[in-house]
Amino acid sequence: MQQGKPPKTWFQCIECRARYPINSIIYRCKACRSLLEVQHDMQELRRRDASEWKKLFQQRYKSTQWPYGSGVWGKKEWVLPDIDDANIVSLYEGDTNLFWAERLGKQIGLDDLWVKLCGNSHSGSFKDLGMTVLVSMVRQMIAEGAPLQAVACASTGDTSAALAVYCAAAGIPAIVLLPRGKISTAQLAQPLANGALVLSLDTDFDGCMRVVQEITEDETIYLANSMNSLRIEGQKTVGIEIVQQFDWHVPDVIVIPGGNLGNVSALGSGLTMMKDLGLIDRLPRIVVAQAQRANPLYRAYLKNFEVVEPMQAETTLASAIQIGNPVSMAKAIRTLRQFDGMVLDATERELADAAALGDRTGMYNDPHTGVALAVLIKLVQAKKIARTDRVVVISTANGLKFTDFKVGYHEGKLGFEGVHRNRPIELAPNVAAVKTALQKVLEARR
Ligand SMILES: *Cc1c(COP(=O)(O)O)cnc(C)c1O
Ligand SMILES: [Zn+2]
């Protein structure tokens, strides 16, 4: 922190508004145990007007000016201004491509469907956005003399991969707690490759989360889960980036898959900040998509958020959102109220077929993007989303991390017959056999 100057950011309790310094080791309010959020000195940020902010962000966009070419650090003043550039641990995350999914849109009844490919990122998921911020802050605290020995998280696979990558880049020890047998092969390989201490526990994510919260009560081990609101500050850039990529025009609807629910609040927080600072004058609707087997937010939504209960999550292909007791439930509800939000869920078959349908139009979807697409299809069919609406689906991870899911689908081993199943034709290595096979296929197409 710059000595002597007033801080530009601080942690603030979402309930009682108590404040704590941004470099303190704290995850919940000491007074009332509620979640914290990072607050910014908005007066300070208003010293630049909206057009100046746009110009600054545009200048930095994808530049090589370290660290401002990063999609996250290009917005440093809005994310974590109280950090020395020298402590930033960046792998040039963010600024992922947003593309017009024209063919898929036509097939499902939308003229203006866009997909934000957040999985085209360093560790293959959008968790990189928040992890760069958290690990940078850890490096800063260590530089200031904080007695931190390691950073730890519970994970459904992507948080641990991101934590392991950023800690390896910074030379800080990482500890990851994973539910045994409940993540993909790639997701287990990632933290191992990056040298993290990998603890595989015979429980689910919620069980790992309980353990890591106790372990990190020892202040020398820092908690990297999204309960730590530093992560949210990085994740919130995704919404800002989408608007920037549309030349500062706001889409009508943004669909995001939700598990622990930090990200829906992050999405809302970035957009709210843009509106507060005059860069946009309206907000999109936000849709949270959940797997039916882990849908506590959907259940609460059906009851107008008057009854909010954790559940026992069941095994789902959408393993990164297999969470029954989301830490950020309260923040997500607040965001949905503010953004005229909708919540819907998808069955295993729906999510797998929707992912595969997208693949047939040139995507390579992970199961979570499948959940988002399945929910979108249902909302269009129900006319809750209009054909002409500009819709953005946030694709949260790279399909290459979920080879088990893809192979299972096309081999028909997921317990149902996928509509878009495709199998290799095994043939003798000769021209006649190949010609016969081609003829059959081409005739079938006619
Ligand atoms: C983490 C994650 C999500 C959900 O984000 P939450 O903040 O936990 O709701 C969705 N998709 C993927 C691939 C993820 O890794
Ligand atoms: Zn409080």
Side-chain angles (χ1 to χ4, degrees):
M1 304 289 114
Q2 285 125 322
Q3 292 298 318
K5 287 191 196 157
K8 294 174 180 160
T9 47
W10 55 90
F11 290 120
Q12 186 166 306
C13 173
I14 66 167
E15 293 297 334
C16 78
R17 315 216 137 239
R19 291 185 180 193
Y20 306 90
I22 196 77
N23 59 349
S24 42
I25 299 171
I26 187 168
Y27 320 111
R28 280 189 185 276
C29 178
K30 280 186 188 148
C32 75
R33 304 295 297 154
S34 296
L35 294 173
L36 303 173
E37 63 187 345
V38 175
Q39 283 286 338
H40 292 258
D41 179 348
M42 296 300 280
Q43 224 51 42
E44 169 76 24
L45 293 176
R46 282 200 183 90
R47 285 162 57 161
R48 273 200 181 97
D49 71 20
S51 67
E52 287 171 317
W53 281 121
K54 289 179 187 173
K55 208 171 131 200
L56 181 69
F57 294 162
Q58 212 60 40
Q59 271 170 5
R60 292 171 174 171
Y61 185 76
K62 292 194 173 179
S63 77
T64 51
Q65 188 202 347
W66 194 91
Y68 300 100
S70 147
V72 173
W73 297 107
K75 298 174 173 78
K76 183 186 173 192
E77 294 82 354
W78 291 27
V79 171
L80 197 60
D82 297 305
I83 192 165
D84 299 334
D85 284 359
N87 289 323
I88 289 177
V89 185
S90 173
L91 299 165
Y92 269 49
E93 48 291 311
D95 291 342
T96 50
N97 46 320
L98 172 66
F99 77 95
W100 182 32
E102 183 185 5
R103 253 191 94 213
L104 179 61
K106 281 215 176 94
Q107 290 181 14
I108 68 175
L110 288 173
D111 294 335
D112 206 9
L113 172 63
W114 295 72
V115 178
K116 173 77 170 157
L117 281 183
C118 295
N120 288 2
S121 181
H122 201 78
S123 77
S125 89
F126 72 159
K127 298 290 199 291
D128 291 351
L129 301 173
M131 209 51 86
T132 180
V133 175
L134 183 132
V135 175
S136 298
M137 193 64 213
V138 169
R139 195 198 238 180
Q140 171 117 355
M141 289 191 289
I142 291 172
E144 290 169 358
L148 290 172
Q149 288 191 313
V151 187
C153 74
S155 174
T156 51
D158 290 328
T159 299
S160 46
L163 179 66
V165 153
Y166 282 89
C167 281
I172 297 169
I175 302 167
V176 307
L177 282 70
L178 299 171
R180 192 159 74 89
K182 295 191 172 71
I183 61 169
S184 77
T185 311
Q187 288 171 323
L188 177 61
Q190 286 184 293
L192 289 172
N194 291 125
L197 176 62
V198 177
L199 306 175
S200 187
L201 307 189
D202 223 345
T203 177
D204 56 6
F205 170 81
D206 298 299
C208 292
M209 191 66 218
R210 280 192 292 275
V211 175
V212 82
Q213 289 192 55
E214 289 204 26
I215 302 241
T216 52
E217 272 173 23
D218 171 350
E219 288 205 347
T220 67
I221 302 175
Y222 193 67
L223 176 68
N225 279 96
S226 59
M227 198 178 130
N228 185 328
S229 51
L230 287 171
R231 291 254 316 276
I232 306 294
E233 289 312 284
Q235 297 292 147
K236 83 181 182 194
T237 58
V238 72
I240 306 170
E241 214 172 277
I242 288 169
V243 174
Q244 181 176 2
Q245 286 172 314
F246 282 129
D247 260 332
W248 310 104
H249 294 294
V250 181
D252 298 302
V253 181
I254 300 180
V255 187
I256 185 168
N260 218 10
L261 304 177
N263 275 290
V264 52
S265 79
L267 176 64
S269 150
L271 292 162
T272 307
M273 203 156 173
M274 291 185 98
K275 189 152 179 280
D276 287 350
L277 292 170
L279 280 75
I280 56 176
D281 56 14
R282 67 183 188 105
L283 297 174
R285 288 191 85 172
I286 290 181
V287 175
V288 178
Q290 290 209 295
Q292 197 174 75
R293 291 186 168 174
N295 62 354
L297 182 69
Y298 178 59
R299 293 175 185 209
Y301 171 76
L302 290 180
K303 294 179 177 162
N304 274 320
F305 301 128
E306 279 150 23
V307 185
V308 179
E309 284 169 336
M311 63 179 281
Q312 178 61 48
E314 289 172 57
T315 303
T316 165
L317 295 163
S319 48
I321 54 174
Q322 187 180 320
I323 297 175
N325 188 13
V327 164
S328 296
M329 180 71 105
K331 285 185 179 176
I333 293 173
R334 190 177 65 172
T335 303
L336 287 167
R337 288 201 166 118
Q338 201 183 347
F339 284 78
D340 192 14
M342 290 188 278
V343 187
L344 211 66
D345 64 2
T347 65
E348 298 299 288
R349 190 186 280 268
E350 285 170 341
L351 75 88
D353 279 333
L357 176 69
D359 290 357
R360 285 290 177 103
T361 66
M363 299 169 71
Y364 193 73
N365 289 309
D366 67 295
H368 318 89
T369 306
V371 171
L373 291 174
V375 159
L376 174 62
I377 290 168
K378 292 201 273 189
L379 289 173
V380 174
Q381 281 168 355
K383 305 219 180 319
K384 299 263 172 63
I385 293 178
R387 169 172 280 278
T388 51
D389 281 347
R390 171 168 283 181
V391 180
V392 179
V393 169
I394 298 190
S395 172
T396 47
N398 196 309
L400 291 168
K401 284 183 132 188
F402 298 89
T403 304
D404 325 6
F405 164 66
K406 287 277 185 245
V407 172
Y409 184 85
H410 291 289
E411 286 186 346
K413 289 187 178 154
L414 298 183
F416 51 83
E417 180 75 16
V419 179
H420 308 288
R421 195 175 162 198
N422 192 16
R423 296 291 301 142
I425 303 171
E426 286 168 8
L427 294 173
N430 66 62
V431 174
V434 171
K435 277 193 172 164
T436 313
L438 287 183
Q439 237 165 8
K440 242 200 232 162
V441 172
L442 296 177
E443 256 164 36
R445 286 221 168 163
R446 245 181 258 143

